[in-house]
Amino acid sequence: MIYRLCGVDPDNDQRWPHYLGALLAFSGVGVLLLYIVLRAQPALPLPLGRTGLSPAVAFNTAVSFTTNTSWQIYSGETTVRSAAS
């Protein structure tokens, strides 16, 4: 039923250009959603005094996590923290 809803034919093979397009689209959506979450931190429920990241740091972090490269330009414990600390 899920295949029919998504328009997937289970008997067809997926060629590499279609796979590449799906991979890039999925990664792009992941970067965009993570960027939004990092920038909108104060507006989320229970922000606990946290501030949003700057655009450059949020983009760097989103790309780093999405690509699994783990090359953040900050120490997470000191950047995304409570304003009270």
Side-chain angles (χ1 to χ4, degrees):
M1 179 168 48
I2 293 174
Y3 279 176
R4 271 187 264 148
L5 286 173
C6 296
V8 174
D9 183 4
D11 296 325
N12 267 344
D13 290 334
Q14 186 178 36
R15 302 208 36 170
W16 73 266
H18 190 260
Y19 177 79
L20 178 63
L23 177 71
L24 292 175
F26 185 79
S27 295
V29 168
V31 168
L32 180 65
L33 290 177
L34 184 54
Y35 177 81
I36 290 170
V37 167
L38 292 170
R39 291 286 294 147
Q41 191 70 39
L44 296 175
L46 291 169
L48 302 175
R50 291 183 176 91
T51 59
L53 298 179
S54 71
V57 174
F59 181 76
N60 181 284
T61 303
V63 170
S64 174
F65 275 71
T66 302
T67 59
N68 200 26
T69 54
S70 211
W71 44 266
Q72 293 90 17
I73 60 173
Y74 68 91
S75 172
E77 296 82 18
T78 60
T79 301
V80 183
R81 65 174 181 227
S82 172
S85 49

